[in-house]
Amino acid sequence: MSWQATLQTLIDRTHGTLSLSGTALKVRDPSRVAETMDSLARSSALAPEPEASLARWIVRETARQTGPYPASIDALYRARGRGETRNDYTVPAMNLRALSYHAARAVFRAARPMQAGALIFEIARSEMGYTQQRPSEYATSVLAAAVAEGWEGPVFLQGDHFQISAKRFASDPLAEVQAVRDLIAEAVAAGFFNIDIDTSTLVDLDRPTIAEQQMLNFTLCAELAVDVRNAEPEGVTISIGGEIGEVGGQNSTEPELVGFMDGFNHAFSALAPGKPGLSKISVQTGTSHGGVVLPDGSIAKVKVDFDTLARLSQLARRKYGLAGAVQHGASTLPEEAFTKFAEAAACEVHLATNFQNILFDHLPRELRQKMYGFLDRDFAKDRKPDMTAEQFYYKTRKNAIGPFKADVWNLPADTLAQVSQAWEAQFRLLFERLNVGKTLAEVRTHIPGKIVQASLQTYLRSSGVSESVEGLAD
């Protein structure tokens, strides 16, 4: 079947809700458009090409005509850095690894009653690999969810940890940098107008001075930031983040922040005079991705250094006009800890693992055992001699998400409902504790209503890019 026939078939499945004239899509019945999103999101996630890419274009174009649209949070963050907006909330950046469409619907349902608008949906370079979600699929899941839930206005899609692998950089630096450059272009084309560059893996603590330790980090971050600026659509200023300390390592310090930012600003201004630089900075204050797993499978209590986080956030705003500091690896902290992020005026916190935990807790036993059997066979090399079975499965089960994506999509309706309800309750709790209620007004005040129309040709050119993600952060 030709792509034109496939496109028409997808339109026909909407039973008159959408129409097509040549390659121009029109929403004919806005009152019924929400009910078309389930099928289109499923095609985006599970169908072969070209059906998957065509479904993604239909969702993107339908969203453009009905209210939600990909946007950059840059203007809000700049206003925060200038002290022109609220500083008493922390933006949740949510990595939705599995059932992204269903999880995003739960986000929007939780957000609407409290008028929470400062919310970020993100996916890391590593996650794209093991969850088998390229940027266009992830963006489609979130935008389809926004349409289905009647959301209107900006939707913040973010590339998290667009990270340089230190191992691959050491063996072939040009190829590794080019891989990240290609990913930036791919993500921006899909509507990711927020990009976190992570070259912190190249910090060399053996060098004698902080400037020397951070040199490769800030130099390469500046070069990749130029690529982001060159890729951004007309009228859009993409929000760019940098990172001074690899998550899971030693805590960041104020001299490190200054050393990185001074070096970055000098390098970036030389490469892109007059262009805006970073809007935020990621730091390390005591967490690790996924948490530390104890032998019984529970998570060890982690102590975040909120004093350091508050000082670094204040320094980032006062000296560099940034929105503040960003906290990674916080998903498995105790619930009561999340109020402290807003109290520390951290601008953003990244959350992933606990959403994944909720899914695995609700999976039918037969499917979970099937996934664990896959891990036993394909990831046996990751099982250290002193690991219990609980530790092994907890640490590796994310790798089963992609291979079992269709199985999870095809869960019984009642199981999907239970997972969605649990997610919604978790999102509501997080939004309350991070104090993002009523931030929709902040978003509407500061975010320009620039809507980027993506061409059908862009989606037709889309191909299922595959790359190794071993050793990259989430």
Side-chain angles (χ1 to χ4, degrees):
M1 185 184 295
S2 68
W3 69 262
Q4 293 94 336
T6 302
L7 178 59
Q8 189 60 57
T9 298
L10 287 168
I11 296 297
D12 291 343
R13 290 177 189 168
T14 69
H15 304 292
T17 302
L18 307 177
S19 66
L20 197 65
S21 176
T23 58
L25 182 144
K26 182 178 180 180
V27 176
R28 299 184 63 85
D29 188 352
S31 68
R32 294 176 54 212
V33 74
E35 64 193 55
T36 69
M37 291 298 107
D38 284 11
S39 175
L40 288 166
R42 171 179 283 272
S43 289
S44 169
L46 301 180
E49 295 292 356
E51 181 180 336
S53 290
L54 292 170
R56 293 165 193 167
W57 174 74
I58 292 172
V59 169
R60 178 86 178 264
E61 184 62 11
T62 301
R64 185 184 69 85
Q65 296 184 35
T66 57
Y69 60 92
S72 168
I73 204 167
D74 185 82
L76 177 61
Y77 276 5
R78 303 276 176 196
R80 183 165 177 159
R82 295 190 300 268
E84 297 173 358
T85 186
R86 283 174 52 191
N87 196 34
D88 62 349
Y89 64 92
T90 299
V91 176
M94 297 161 286
N95 301 60
L96 308 179
R97 294 173 178 171
L99 292 176
S100 303
Y101 169 67
H102 302 78
R105 290 193 66 165
V107 169
F108 290 121
R109 288 196 301 271
R112 178 176 287 105
M114 62 181 70
Q115 294 290 291
L119 312 167
I120 291 174
F121 300 85
E122 66 179 6
I123 187 168
R125 183 186 177 195
S126 61
E127 290 169 317
M128 293 174 192
Y130 61 73
T131 70
Q132 298 179 13
Q133 291 183 98
R134 298 304 300 177
S136 60
E137 180 186 331
Y138 189 81
T140 298
S141 292
V142 175
L143 290 174
V147 173
E149 295 298 334
W151 189 262
E152 295 184 2
V155 175
F156 303 113
L157 296 163
Q158 182 159 279
D160 178 30
H161 282 303
F162 276 25
Q163 186 182 70
I164 295 291
S165 163
K167 180 179 178 180
R168 292 202 293 270
F169 184 84
S171 62
D172 193 342
L174 294 180
E176 178 62 5
V177 172
Q178 188 59 49
V180 175
R181 286 184 166 138
D182 292 343
L183 179 57
I184 288 169
E186 180 187 353
V188 172
F192 283 64
F193 298 153
N194 309 274
I195 303 290
D196 278 1
I197 298 168
D198 183 3
T199 48
S200 67
T201 52
L202 304 179
V203 172
D204 186 355
L205 297 177
D206 292 332
R207 303 294 294 273
T209 67
I210 287 176
E212 290 175 296
Q213 292 169 10
Q214 293 283 340
M215 183 175 295
L216 190 51
N217 183 16
F218 66 64
T219 300
L220 188 51
C221 184
E223 292 177 8
L224 292 171
V226 173
D227 289 303
V228 174
R229 290 283 171 251
N230 290 338
E232 61 192 8
E234 183 179 355
V236 174
T237 300
I238 289 176
S239 172
I240 306 176
E243 188 157 338
I244 61 174
E246 190 173 3
V247 176
Q250 67 182 38
N251 285 3
S252 303
T253 67
E254 292 172 78
E256 285 175 340
L257 190 151
V258 171
F260 173 87
M261 285 302 306
D262 285 350
F264 174 90
N265 286 342
H266 177 76
F268 184 76
S269 62
L271 294 169
K275 296 283 188 179
L278 303 181
S279 64
K280 58 183 177 178
I281 186 74
S282 292
V283 300
Q284 165 62 8
T285 62
T287 62
S288 62
H289 284 122
V292 177
V293 190
L294 299 175
D296 64 356
S298 63
I299 305 301
K301 291 185 178 180
V302 179
K303 180 175 173 54
V304 175
D305 189 341
F306 285 103
D307 289 339
T308 294
L309 186 60
R311 289 198 308 273
L312 293 176
S313 282
Q314 183 181 41
L315 175 62
R317 287 189 299 274
R318 174 176 51 81
K319 187 174 178 65
Y320 299 104
L322 306 182
V326 177
Q327 175 73 56
H328 288 260
S331 185
T332 55
L333 290 173
E335 293 176 355
E336 60 271 15
F338 284 94
T339 58
K340 297 181 180 179
F341 289 110
E343 292 169 1
C347 69
E348 189 175 301
V349 61
H350 290 215
L351 307 165
T353 305
N354 204 38
F355 309 144
Q356 174 184 292
N357 292 347
I358 289 171
L359 172 67
F360 274 91
D361 287 346
H362 286 81
L363 288 179
R365 183 178 181 277
E366 181 179 350
L367 176 56
R368 185 165 54 245
Q369 291 305 115
K370 186 179 176 183
M371 296 168 88
Y372 285 178
F374 162 78
L375 297 172
D376 287 332
R377 293 189 306 272
D378 288 44
F379 288 86
K381 62 179 175 55
D382 294 337
R383 191 166 197 160
K384 297 179 174 60
D386 60 344
M387 267 187 173
T388 65
E390 288 80 5
Q391 286 175 311
F392 170 71
Y393 293 133
Y394 187 92
K395 293 291 288 186
T396 61
R397 63 188 183 178
K398 65 184 182 182
N399 297 292
I401 291 173
F404 290 86
K405 179 163 62 171
D407 298 77
V408 175
W409 262 89
N410 292 321
L411 285 171
D414 60 339
T415 302
L416 285 173
Q418 291 169 13
V419 174
S420 295
Q421 290 166 8
W423 273 334
E424 185 176 345
Q426 179 69 13
F427 293 134
R428 189 182 304 112
L429 182 148
L430 289 170
F431 298 166
E432 289 171 352
R433 292 191 175 274
L434 295 172
N435 202 30
V436 291
K438 299 183 180 178
T439 54
L440 189 58
E442 301 280 332
V443 168
R444 288 173 173 167
T445 297
H446 295 284
I447 302 300
K450 174 66 178 178
I451 301 177
V452 177
Q453 183 173 8
S455 70
L456 174 58
Q457 190 62 39
T458 298
Y459 284 81
L460 286 174
R461 287 196 303 265
S462 177
S463 59
V465 180
S466 177
E467 61 168 331
S468 170
V469 298
E470 184 178 356
L472 298 174
D474 300 332

